[in-house]
Amino acid sequence: MKSRIKTKVMMGTAVAATAAALLIPTSAQAATQSGHVSVCNSSSSDEYGVFPYRGDAATTIINPGHCWSGGVFTGISSDEVVGYRHVNGVWQAVAYKYFNDADGVTFTF
């Protein structure tokens, strides 16, 4: 019984890793891939980005000095990202940026 559970866990982990690899391109691919979107945090506070035209899809929390790589966005010619920053215990919108998702773009808030 334990070996069946262990096998299922290992298979689930392998499937999840494969899915993540397919969804998030490597840095080399990102530099050349059309529609690749990244959001970087240049502040000293935690931040995240929201994509209102994509059902309010959001990045994970981005620590200061780090970036989030979201894979490829296509299908919306005038897309938007809204940057939120954690300031004094409150998440505040600090930036609104529009972009063409056919271009590879990196946003820094």
Side-chain angles (χ1 to χ4, degrees):
M1 184 66 168
K2 283 185 180 181
S3 117
R4 286 175 86 187
I5 292 171
K6 187 175 181 180
T7 300
K8 286 182 180 181
V9 169
M10 290 175 62
M11 287 178 64
T13 303
V15 168
T18 301
L22 292 173
L23 292 174
I24 302 173
T26 64
S27 297
Q29 291 171 327
T32 59
Q33 192 166 18
S34 177
H36 183 265
V37 176
S38 296
V39 179
C40 296
N41 180 351
S42 64
S43 78
S44 59
S45 300
D46 289 339
E47 295 181 337
Y48 72 97
V50 174
F51 301 91
Y53 299 143
R54 299 194 178 270
D56 287 333
T59 69
T60 56
I61 301 289
I62 307 166
N63 295 323
H66 290 88
C67 294
W68 172 88
S69 179
V72 178
F73 284 13
T74 58
I76 300 175
S77 61
S78 181
D79 215 332
E80 179 184 23
V81 60
V82 180
Y84 289 86
R85 184 173 295 148
H86 195 243
V87 180
N88 296 326
V90 178
W91 288 99
Q92 299 178 3
V94 294
Y96 299 85
K97 296 192 179 187
Y98 292 89
F99 63 98
N100 181 344
D101 66 9
D103 303 326
V105 293
T106 299
F107 298 103
T108 302
F109 297 117

